[in-house]
Amino acid sequence: MKKILIGSGAGYSGDRIEPAVELAEKGNINYLVFECLAERTIAIAQQAKLKDPNAGYDALLVDRFKAVLGICHRNKIKIITNMGAANAVAGAKKIREIAEELGLSGLKIAAVSGDDVLNVVRDGDYAIMETGEPLATIKDQLVSANAYLGAEPIVEALQNGADVVITGRVSDPALFMAPAIYEFGWSMDDWNTLGQATLLGHLLECAGQITGGYFADPGYKDVAGLARLGFPIAEVQEDGSFVVTKVPGSGGQVKLANCQEQMVYEIHDPKAYITPNVVADFSAVQMTEVGKDRVLISGGKGAPKTDFLKASIGYKDSFIGEGQISYAGPGAAARGQLALDIVAERLKLMGVDYQEIRFDLIGVNALHGPKLSAGHEPYEVRARVGGRTKNMREAVRIGNEVETLYTNGPAGGAGAWKSAREVVAMVSALVPRSLVSYSIQYEVL
Amino acid sequence: MKLREIAHSRTGDKGNISNISVIAYKPEEYSLLEKYVTAERVKEFFSDIVKGEVVRYTMPNIGALNFVMYNALGGGVTRTLALDIHGKSLSSSLMNMEIPDK
């Protein structure tokens, strides 16, 4: 029976590099997938592309491809990634350059475009999903709009013989579904199989989060070898069932509990996980440990896809100014609180114009507020003030009022730090599928 | 006892919505979760943090509950003023919830 092995080489844009090298060298994999595109990354990449038409792809693309491209070429492993960000075509050209530097030949690189729907949403009458407000309310602040494409363009590129497929925004699961759809010839309206394939992508897309990362809790959930965590491999069968595993000898673990946590990660209704290709249903999924670091997963189902694609929309939202300073020893919390009270009064006295403000004592209540944090006296605290403003000038003033606590605030203020930055934030809107089309460009060498 | 004794948990985020899984270590203890870890209790537990509704989905097939918490992340990862921009640490806090001893 035919079986394909898909490895997950990165779970986010800044992820570790060498686990993918381990997969390519020792994983016996057929496909290596890198999911590297967070929500906001594409908006920032879009701004970079406006300044330089050859920019706009992932910042670590060069490092990752230099690390794996030669090994993948030698071991006949195809690479699929969304590292194209705002400029997949430029990303593909850069990969070509790297291949030439490495002296590789017989390589076909596909660049998928078409996710950029900025003109579509500018011209249309769309609602912001998060607030229900018209998108027109932020029309002048828009930076980017990218629809989540499905698996179709990647499948087409593979059918055309691509060894490397680089995309911009596609649904994360689609990166993993596409090779299985291509290899097994699954129909694009076989909803149950596509639902199971979505589960495959959903479980692998965060890489180390299913092999023991984001899991350890000493004494309750111990995980060995997190400094050399192995990234996951799915051994996919023709019926869509798959075993999640990792390279023997690598760090981490693949147990039921890891897979269960990752299945529920970032889903809402388990019966309706909406993707561009299918509305997946995880309510009948079965997981079984079938060996050391081997979990068999089946039972994903699905219903027909919707007529809409979600678009992720970047806009210039505001500015954030922030300052921090530490206190330690007896009375540290009281001095930290005094520091916050002083800054609150100073911001008012100086007339700093902010729209939202937050005062935290790191080590006391910064993460969960007063109710959940009550009842302990720490040795050290870090006072933190963060405020939202309409311009950079006001944002800078917030951090300054924390820094001046050195000489004007409570005793023993230490390690002050400040920052001010512009915020490009993201909202979503549903765009009719019929208004979005893709194209593929190839680099051949 | 603390919820931590019988369950484990992971937090995810989508925009300003946080979701927290609560998963039984032993399948036979899932019924305790279903009985005692209600949407109402989770909303009360996070009353300082979660400003919107809390919806609970049951997943008996893997012994898990999924709590979807709206307006929970100060505007979401791309614009929040919070130190924990994703709300990643919320799951660990929920493990402190008291439930009746077995």
Side-chain angles (χ1 to χ4, degrees), chain A residues 248-312:
Chain A
S250 61
Q253 62 180 40
V254 183
K255 293 186 177 170
L256 270 186
N258 304 86
C259 297
Q260 290 166 336
E261 283 194 15
Q262 192 56 21
M263 184 166 99
V264 192
Y265 180 70
E266 289 183 351
I267 71 165
H268 295 164
D269 181 351
K271 290 185 173 162
Y273 185 61
I274 301 170
T275 79
N277 290 110
V278 61
V279 178
D281 176 353
F282 298 161
S283 64
V285 167
Q286 294 299 316
M287 298 182 168
T288 319
E289 280 190 20
V290 292
K292 182 178 185 292
D293 294 324
R294 294 180 66 80
V295 176
L296 171 65
I297 293 165
S298 62
K301 296 185 299 183
K305 65 188 180 187
T306 72
D307 292 332
F308 295 90
L309 294 176
K310 190 169 96 170
S312 202

Side-chain angles (χ1 to χ4, degrees), chain A residues 40 209 214 217 220-221 261-262 264-268 282-283 285 317 368 371 384 388 423 426, chain B residues 4-5 8 10-14 19 25 44-45 47-48 57 61 66 78-79 81 88-89 93:
Chain A
R40 181 164 49 188
Q209 281 195 187
Y214 196 31
D217 191 0
Y220 285 77
K221 297 189 293 179
E261 283 194 15
Q262 192 56 21
V264 192
Y265 180 70
E266 289 183 351
I267 71 165
H268 295 164
F282 298 161
S283 64
V285 167
D317 175 78
H368 299 150
K371 190 179 89 176
R384 173 180 184 265
R388 188 181 315 287
V423 176
M426 305 301 293
Chain B
R4 188 185 189 200
E5 301 303 324
H8 57 105
R10 176 171 293 193
T11 311
D13 69 293
K14 287 258 191 246
N19 87 290
Y25 283 111
E44 168 58 26
F45 189 88
S47 59
D48 275 356
Y57 294 98
N61 56 318
N66 185 24
T78 60
R79 75 184 300 269
L81 294 181
K88 298 271 188 197
S89 66
S93 177

